[in-house]
Amino acid sequence: EVQLLESGGGLEQPGGSLRVSCAASGFIFSNFGMSWVRQAPGKGLEWVSAISGSGGRTYYADSVKGRFTISRDNARNTLYLEMNSLRADDTAVYYCATHVDGAAYFPHWGQGTLVIASS
Amino acid sequence: EIVLTQSPATLSLSPGERVTLSCRASQSVNRDLVWYQQRPGQGPRLLIYGASNRATGIPARFSGSGSGTDFTLTISSLEPEDFGIYYCQHHTKWPLTFGGGTKVEIK
């Protein structure tokens, strides 16, 4: 059974940094691309970033480009999102999600971790 | 970026009714279009991929259709557990985008 467990969310001041993690199990982690998707309180879904299975290719939404960095450690079956220069509009639940083989849509999602950027 | 527009924003319906949700893309996404359901307090669940293929474990009352720029999700007969928000998403090129969602609520 595929399991994705996010951690690392919390309260951080605007301008600060935070790293969230996603521990994966139940599948061959290195074979699949992964994404981060966020959802601001009471709002819809927003794709944030994606990374290929090897980690060699990364993609970002314009809203986070230059501030956020996605990475993965395939030996530890863990996905990361390093968030710098946090803004109030980065406040959201951050979900990690698996891709399917060869396409970037999401059959499996974690439960999410809440990031709050506020003073 | 490709903009996905969902309509209507909200539907108020009774159990047993037929539901038709729309997702329109600002440019062709071929059949690279999926649908998710999100119940209150839960993460999204994949319903439909490739515009018309049901994901594993999804009941037959859910169906998808369309290609290019116009897509439809149909629920043939609403069950109580079907109330929630439905999102479309394309994956034809980067960046990925979601539609704004359609909320299906109890009348």
Side-chain angles (χ1 to χ4, degrees):
Chain A
E1 180 191 1
V2 172
Q3 291 195 349
L4 302 169
L5 185 61
E6 299 95 338
S7 61
L11 175 64
E12 180 59 58
Q13 292 189 348
S17 298
L18 204 61
R19 186 177 80 163
V20 292
S21 303
C22 170
S25 61
F27 64 106
I28 302 174
F29 183 65
S30 59
N31 283 1
F32 294 90
M34 300 287 295
S35 276
W36 289 97
V37 177
R38 68 184 180 184
Q39 187 168 35
K43 302 298 184 182
L45 301 170
E46 181 188 15
W47 172 78
V48 172
S49 182
I51 188 167
S52 63
S54 67
R57 286 169 287 147
T58 58
Y59 309 90
Y60 297 93
D62 285 346
S63 58
V64 305
K65 199 173 293 183
R67 300 187 300 120
F68 289 12
T69 302
I70 192 171
S71 62
R72 64 191 298 160
D73 184 337
N74 285 344
R76 297 178 184 270
N77 288 351
T78 303
L79 175 72
Y80 302 101
L81 185 68
E82 182 78 35
M83 300 180 286
N84 297 318
S85 303
L86 280 165
R87 308 187 308 217
D89 63 359
D90 294 320
T91 295
V93 173
Y94 285 74
Y95 296 99
C96 65
T98 66
H99 297 188
V100 298
D101 188 14
Y105 63 89
F106 315 123
H108 303 288
W109 298 67
Q111 87 292 343
T113 187
L114 177 60
V115 171
I116 301 172
S118 174
S119 53
Chain B
E1 93 178 23
I2 297 173
V3 177
L4 298 179
T5 302
Q6 290 188 242
S7 61
T10 306
L11 275 174
S12 297
L13 297 164
S14 301
E17 290 196 80
R18 182 181 179 88
V19 185
T20 302
L21 311 181
S22 173
C23 176
R24 179 163 291 177
S26 60
Q27 60 185 267
S28 177
V29 298
N30 302 306
R31 294 180 63 84
D32 298 336
L33 193 287
V34 302
W35 292 91
Y36 301 93
Q37 175 196 60
Q38 187 175 33
R39 294 172 177 150
Q42 297 185 16
R45 178 174 72 142
L46 178 67
L47 297 176
I48 300 288
Y49 65 94
S52 62
N53 302 289
R54 277 189 301 277
T56 303
I58 301 303
R61 64 181 181 272
F62 290 92
S63 63
S65 64
S67 65
T69 60
D70 289 292
F71 300 88
T72 298
L73 175 69
T74 300
I75 310 172
S76 59
S77 179
L78 262 179
E79 296 287 339
E81 62 266 29
D82 297 338
F83 292 95
I85 303 177
Y86 292 80
Y87 296 95
C88 57
Q89 178 228 324
H90 84 83
H91 57 92
T92 202
K93 64 178 183 179
W94 306 100
L96 310 178
T97 55
F98 290 87
T102 291
K103 183 177 183 180
V104 177
E105 60 182 26
I106 301 173
K107 189 173 183 180

PDB file of all heavy atoms in Angstrom, chain A residues 25-48:
ATOM      1  N   SER A  25       6.446   5.248   1.178  1.00  0.00           N
ATOM      2  CA  SER A  25       6.625   3.809   1.342  1.00  0.00           C
ATOM      3  C   SER A  25       5.578   3.079   0.509  1.00  0.00           C
ATOM      4  O   SER A  25       4.585   3.671   0.086  1.00  0.00           O
ATOM      5  CB  SER A  25       6.503   3.407   2.816  1.00  0.00           C
ATOM      6  OG  SER A  25       5.226   3.725   3.315  1.00  0.00           O
ATOM      7  N   GLY A  26       5.828   1.791   0.276  1.00  0.00           N
ATOM      8  CA  GLY A  26       4.863   0.962  -0.440  1.00  0.00           C
ATOM      9  C   GLY A  26       5.027   0.938  -1.940  1.00  0.00           C
ATOM     10  O   GLY A  26       4.202   0.327  -2.633  1.00  0.00           O
ATOM     11  N   PHE A  27       6.069   1.596  -2.462  1.00  0.00           N
ATOM     12  CA  PHE A  27       6.334   1.565  -3.904  1.00  0.00           C
ATOM     13  C   PHE A  27       7.820   1.873  -4.122  1.00  0.00           C
ATOM     14  O   PHE A  27       8.513   2.297  -3.194  1.00  0.00           O
ATOM     15  CB  PHE A  27       5.447   2.559  -4.653  1.00  0.00           C
ATOM     16  CG  PHE A  27       5.669   4.015  -4.323  1.00  0.00           C
ATOM     17  CD1 PHE A  27       6.327   4.856  -5.212  1.00  0.00           C
ATOM     18  CD2 PHE A  27       5.217   4.552  -3.119  1.00  0.00           C
ATOM     19  CE1 PHE A  27       6.527   6.195  -4.916  1.00  0.00           C
ATOM     20  CE2 PHE A  27       5.411   5.888  -2.807  1.00  0.00           C
ATOM     21  CZ  PHE A  27       6.074   6.717  -3.710  1.00  0.00           C
ATOM     22  N   ILE A  28       8.296   1.655  -5.336  1.00  0.00           N
ATOM     23  CA  ILE A  28       9.699   1.924  -5.662  1.00  0.00           C
ATOM     24  C   ILE A  28       9.838   3.421  -5.918  1.00  0.00           C
ATOM     25  O   ILE A  28       9.559   3.924  -7.014  1.00  0.00           O
ATOM     26  CB  ILE A  28      10.165   1.096  -6.861  1.00  0.00           C
ATOM     27  CG1 ILE A  28       9.968  -0.401  -6.562  1.00  0.00           C
ATOM     28  CG2 ILE A  28      11.637   1.387  -7.168  1.00  0.00           C
ATOM     29  CD1 ILE A  28      10.255  -1.308  -7.735  1.00  0.00           C
ATOM     30  N   PHE A  29      10.245   4.134  -4.889  1.00  0.00           N
ATOM     31  CA  PHE A  29      10.221   5.594  -4.879  1.00  0.00           C
ATOM     32  C   PHE A  29      10.969   6.190  -6.077  1.00  0.00           C
ATOM     33  O   PHE A  29      10.473   7.116  -6.727  1.00  0.00           O
ATOM     34  CB  PHE A  29      10.824   6.076  -3.565  1.00  0.00           C
ATOM     35  CG  PHE A  29      10.805   7.563  -3.352  1.00  0.00           C
ATOM     36  CD1 PHE A  29       9.610   8.254  -3.221  1.00  0.00           C
ATOM     37  CD2 PHE A  29      11.996   8.280  -3.250  1.00  0.00           C
ATOM     38  CE1 PHE A  29       9.599   9.618  -3.000  1.00  0.00           C
ATOM     39  CE2 PHE A  29      11.997   9.642  -3.037  1.00  0.00           C
ATOM     40  CZ  PHE A  29      10.798  10.318  -2.910  1.00  0.00           C
ATOM     41  N   SER A  30      12.119   5.672  -6.381  1.00  0.00           N
ATOM     42  CA  SER A  30      12.972   6.263  -7.420  1.00  0.00           C
ATOM     43  C   SER A  30      12.394   6.108  -8.828  1.00  0.00           C
ATOM     44  O   SER A  30      12.885   6.730  -9.769  1.00  0.00           O
ATOM     45  CB  SER A  30      14.366   5.658  -7.377  1.00  0.00           C
ATOM     46  OG  SER A  30      14.302   4.264  -7.572  1.00  0.00           O
ATOM     47  N   ASN A  31      11.373   5.288  -8.977  1.00  0.00           N
ATOM     48  CA  ASN A  31      10.773   5.070 -10.296  1.00  0.00           C
ATOM     49  C   ASN A  31       9.732   6.111 -10.684  1.00  0.00           C
ATOM     50  O   ASN A  31       9.272   6.117 -11.827  1.00  0.00           O
ATOM     51  CB  ASN A  31      10.107   3.688 -10.361  1.00  0.00           C
ATOM     52  CG  ASN A  31      11.113   2.559 -10.538  1.00  0.00           C
ATOM     53  OD1 ASN A  31      12.317   2.802 -10.603  1.00  0.00           O
ATOM     54  ND2 ASN A  31      10.631   1.337 -10.589  1.00  0.00           N
ATOM     55  N   PHE A  32       9.357   6.966  -9.736  1.00  0.00           N
ATOM     56  CA  PHE A  32       8.216   7.846  -9.977  1.00  0.00           C
ATOM     57  C   PHE A  32       8.535   9.306  -9.699  1.00  0.00           C
ATOM     58  O   PHE A  32       9.172   9.636  -8.701  1.00  0.00           O
ATOM     59  CB  PHE A  32       7.026   7.425  -9.119  1.00  0.00           C
ATOM     60  CG  PHE A  32       6.473   6.090  -9.497  1.00  0.00           C
ATOM     61  CD1 PHE A  32       6.945   4.937  -8.899  1.00  0.00           C
ATOM     62  CD2 PHE A  32       5.506   5.990 -10.477  1.00  0.00           C
ATOM     63  CE1 PHE A  32       6.460   3.695  -9.266  1.00  0.00           C
ATOM     64  CE2 PHE A  32       5.001   4.762 -10.853  1.00  0.00           C
ATOM     65  CZ  PHE A  32       5.487   3.605 -10.246  1.00  0.00           C
ATOM     66  N   GLY A  33       8.041  10.158 -10.591  1.00  0.00           N
ATOM     67  CA  GLY A  33       8.059  11.573 -10.305  1.00  0.00           C
ATOM     68  C   GLY A  33       7.155  11.893  -9.126  1.00  0.00           C
ATOM     69  O   GLY A  33       6.257  11.109  -8.784  1.00  0.00           O
ATOM     70  N   MET A  34       7.406  13.043  -8.512  1.00  0.00           N
ATOM     71  CA  MET A  34       6.645  13.481  -7.356  1.00  0.00           C
ATOM     72  C   MET A  34       6.355  14.965  -7.486  1.00  0.00           C
ATOM     73  O   MET A  34       7.116  15.713  -8.112  1.00  0.00           O
ATOM     74  CB  MET A  34       7.428  13.240  -6.061  1.00  0.00           C
ATOM     75  CG  MET A  34       7.787  11.805  -5.769  1.00  0.00           C
ATOM     76  SD  MET A  34       6.379  10.815  -5.239  1.00  0.00           S
ATOM     77  CE  MET A  34       5.945  11.603  -3.680  1.00  0.00           C
ATOM     78  N   SER A  35       5.285  15.394  -6.878  1.00  0.00           N
ATOM     79  CA  SER A  35       4.914  16.804  -6.871  1.00  0.00           C
ATOM     80  C   SER A  35       4.521  17.256  -5.473  1.00  0.00           C
ATOM     81  O   SER A  35       4.139  16.434  -4.624  1.00  0.00           O
ATOM     82  CB  SER A  35       3.729  17.078  -7.801  1.00  0.00           C
ATOM     83  OG  SER A  35       4.107  17.260  -9.134  1.00  0.00           O
ATOM     84  N   TRP A  36       4.583  18.575  -5.290  1.00  0.00           N
ATOM     85  CA  TRP A  36       3.962  19.246  -4.160  1.00  0.00           C
ATOM     86  C   TRP A  36       2.774  20.049  -4.700  1.00  0.00           C
ATOM     87  O   TRP A  36       2.908  20.768  -5.705  1.00  0.00           O
ATOM     88  CB  TRP A  36       4.936  20.171  -3.455  1.00  0.00           C
ATOM     89  CG  TRP A  36       6.010  19.464  -2.683  1.00  0.00           C
ATOM     90  CD1 TRP A  36       7.278  19.202  -3.091  1.00  0.00           C
ATOM     91  CD2 TRP A  36       5.884  18.925  -1.359  1.00  0.00           C
ATOM     92  NE1 TRP A  36       7.962  18.535  -2.104  1.00  0.00           N
ATOM     93  CE2 TRP A  36       7.142  18.348  -1.031  1.00  0.00           C
ATOM     94  CE3 TRP A  36       4.856  18.872  -0.407  1.00  0.00           C
ATOM     95  CZ2 TRP A  36       7.382  17.729   0.203  1.00  0.00           C
ATOM     96  CZ3 TRP A  36       5.096  18.257   0.812  1.00  0.00           C
ATOM     97  CH2 TRP A  36       6.340  17.696   1.106  1.00  0.00           C
ATOM     98  N   VAL A  37       1.648  19.926  -4.020  1.00  0.00           N
ATOM     99  CA  VAL A  37       0.432  20.664  -4.352  1.00  0.00           C
ATOM    100  C   VAL A  37      -0.038  21.327  -3.065  1.00  0.00           C
ATOM    101  O   VAL A  37      -0.011  20.693  -2.001  1.00  0.00           O
ATOM    102  CB  VAL A  37      -0.668  19.725  -4.889  1.00  0.00           C
ATOM    103  CG1 VAL A  37      -1.962  20.501  -5.158  1.00  0.00           C
ATOM    104  CG2 VAL A  37      -0.194  19.026  -6.166  1.00  0.00           C
ATOM    105  N   ARG A  38      -0.450  22.577  -3.138  1.00  0.00           N
ATOM    106  CA  ARG A  38      -0.889  23.254  -1.931  1.00  0.00           C
ATOM    107  C   ARG A  38      -2.334  23.724  -2.036  1.00  0.00           C
ATOM    108  O   ARG A  38      -2.891  23.846  -3.140  1.00  0.00           O
ATOM    109  CB  ARG A  38       0.026  24.430  -1.596  1.00  0.00           C
ATOM    110  CG  ARG A  38      -0.034  25.590  -2.558  1.00  0.00           C
ATOM    111  CD  ARG A  38       1.002  26.654  -2.179  1.00  0.00           C
ATOM    112  NE  ARG A  38       0.983  27.803  -3.066  1.00  0.00           N
ATOM    113  CZ  ARG A  38       1.840  28.827  -2.984  1.00  0.00           C
ATOM    114  NH1 ARG A  38       2.789  28.833  -2.033  1.00  0.00           N
ATOM    115  NH2 ARG A  38       1.743  29.835  -3.832  1.00  0.00           N
ATOM    116  N   GLN A  39      -2.907  23.992  -0.874  1.00  0.00           N
ATOM    117  CA  GLN A  39      -4.292  24.450  -0.800  1.00  0.00           C
ATOM    118  C   GLN A  39      -4.401  25.478   0.322  1.00  0.00           C
ATOM    119  O   GLN A  39      -4.306  25.129   1.502  1.00  0.00           O
ATOM    120  CB  GLN A  39      -5.235  23.274  -0.548  1.00  0.00           C
ATOM    121  CG  GLN A  39      -6.704  23.629  -0.633  1.00  0.00           C
ATOM    122  CD  GLN A  39      -7.597  22.406  -0.679  1.00  0.00           C
ATOM    123  OE1 GLN A  39      -7.306  21.377  -0.053  1.00  0.00           O
ATOM    124  NE2 GLN A  39      -8.686  22.476  -1.431  1.00  0.00           N
ATOM    125  N   ALA A  40      -4.562  26.729  -0.044  1.00  0.00           N
ATOM    126  CA  ALA A  40      -4.755  27.783   0.939  1.00  0.00           C
ATOM    127  C   ALA A  40      -6.094  27.581   1.634  1.00  0.00           C
ATOM    128  O   ALA A  40      -7.012  26.968   1.069  1.00  0.00           O
ATOM    129  CB  ALA A  40      -4.699  29.144   0.258  1.00  0.00           C
ATOM    130  N   PRO A  41      -6.234  28.082   2.848  1.00  0.00           N
ATOM    131  CA  PRO A  41      -7.485  27.878   3.607  1.00  0.00           C
ATOM    132  C   PRO A  41      -8.706  28.317   2.824  1.00  0.00           C
ATOM    133  O   PRO A  41      -8.797  29.462   2.371  1.00  0.00           O
ATOM    134  CB  PRO A  41      -7.266  28.736   4.857  1.00  0.00           C
ATOM    135  CG  PRO A  41      -5.783  28.797   5.029  1.00  0.00           C
ATOM    136  CD  PRO A  41      -5.224  28.814   3.637  1.00  0.00           C
ATOM    137  N   GLY A  42      -9.644  27.398   2.637  1.00  0.00           N
ATOM    138  CA  GLY A  42     -10.885  27.698   1.940  1.00  0.00           C
ATOM    139  C   GLY A  42     -10.755  27.886   0.445  1.00  0.00           C
ATOM    140  O   GLY A  42     -11.719  28.307  -0.213  1.00  0.00           O
ATOM    141  N   LYS A  43      -9.595  27.581  -0.115  1.00  0.00           N
ATOM    142  CA  LYS A  43      -9.349  27.799  -1.549  1.00  0.00           C
ATOM    143  C   LYS A  43      -9.143  26.483  -2.287  1.00  0.00           C
ATOM    144  O   LYS A  43      -9.215  25.399  -1.701  1.00  0.00           O
ATOM    145  CB  LYS A  43      -8.110  28.691  -1.725  1.00  0.00           C
ATOM    146  CG  LYS A  43      -8.209  30.041  -1.038  1.00  0.00           C
ATOM    147  CD  LYS A  43      -9.337  30.880  -1.600  1.00  0.00           C
ATOM    148  CE  LYS A  43      -9.349  32.272  -0.961  1.00  0.00           C
ATOM    149  NZ  LYS A  43     -10.474  33.102  -1.453  1.00  0.00           N
ATOM    150  N   GLY A  44      -8.890  26.584  -3.573  1.00  0.00           N
ATOM    151  CA  GLY A  44      -8.696  25.411  -4.403  1.00  0.00           C
ATOM    152  C   GLY A  44      -7.273  24.887  -4.385  1.00  0.00           C
ATOM    153  O   GLY A  44      -6.419  25.348  -3.638  1.00  0.00           O
ATOM    154  N   LEU A  45      -7.020  23.913  -5.245  1.00  0.00           N
ATOM    155  CA  LEU A  45      -5.718  23.258  -5.331  1.00  0.00           C
ATOM    156  C   LEU A  45      -4.793  24.049  -6.248  1.00  0.00           C
ATOM    157  O   LEU A  45      -5.226  24.550  -7.298  1.00  0.00           O
ATOM    158  CB  LEU A  45      -5.874  21.840  -5.862  1.00  0.00           C
ATOM    159  CG  LEU A  45      -6.777  20.921  -5.037  1.00  0.00           C
ATOM    160  CD1 LEU A  45      -7.040  19.625  -5.794  1.00  0.00           C
ATOM    161  CD2 LEU A  45      -6.146  20.626  -3.692  1.00  0.00           C
ATOM    162  N   GLU A  46      -3.522  24.143  -5.876  1.00  0.00           N
ATOM    163  CA  GLU A  46      -2.504  24.815  -6.684  1.00  0.00           C
ATOM    164  C   GLU A  46      -1.266  23.937  -6.756  1.00  0.00           C
ATOM    165  O   GLU A  46      -0.647  23.643  -5.718  1.00  0.00           O
ATOM    166  CB  GLU A  46      -2.135  26.180  -6.102  1.00  0.00           C
ATOM    167  CG  GLU A  46      -1.089  26.918  -6.923  1.00  0.00           C
ATOM    168  CD  GLU A  46      -0.567  28.189  -6.252  1.00  0.00           C
ATOM    169  OE1 GLU A  46      -0.790  28.371  -5.044  1.00  0.00           O
ATOM    170  OE2 GLU A  46       0.082  28.989  -6.956  1.00  0.00           O
ATOM    171  N   TRP A  47      -0.886  23.524  -7.961  1.00  0.00           N
ATOM    172  CA  TRP A  47       0.363  22.792  -8.138  1.00  0.00           C
ATOM    173  C   TRP A  47       1.540  23.733  -7.865  1.00  0.00           C
ATOM    174  O   TRP A  47       1.553  24.883  -8.318  1.00  0.00           O
ATOM    175  CB  TRP A  47       0.446  22.219  -9.545  1.00  0.00           C
ATOM    176  CG  TRP A  47       1.781  21.625  -9.850  1.00  0.00           C
ATOM    177  CD1 TRP A  47       2.245  20.407  -9.441  1.00  0.00           C
ATOM    178  CD2 TRP A  47       2.836  22.232 -10.592  1.00  0.00           C
ATOM    179  NE1 TRP A  47       3.534  20.224  -9.900  1.00  0.00           N
ATOM    180  CE2 TRP A  47       3.914  21.329 -10.613  1.00  0.00           C
ATOM    181  CE3 TRP A  47       2.979  23.460 -11.253  1.00  0.00           C
ATOM    182  CZ2 TRP A  47       5.116  21.605 -11.261  1.00  0.00           C
ATOM    183  CZ3 TRP A  47       4.166  23.742 -11.896  1.00  0.00           C
ATOM    184  CH2 TRP A  47       5.225  22.820 -11.893  1.00  0.00           C
ATOM    185  N   VAL A  48       2.536  23.230  -7.125  1.00  0.00           N
ATOM    186  CA  VAL A  48       3.668  24.055  -6.698  1.00  0.00           C
ATOM    187  C   VAL A  48       4.956  23.667  -7.425  1.00  0.00           C
ATOM    188  O   VAL A  48       5.650  24.531  -7.982  1.00  0.00           O
ATOM    189  CB  VAL A  48       3.873  23.915  -5.176  1.00  0.00           C
ATOM    190  CG1 VAL A  48       5.155  24.606  -4.723  1.00  0.00           C
ATOM    191  CG2 VAL A  48       2.666  24.456  -4.423  1.00  0.00           C
TER     192      VAL A  48
END
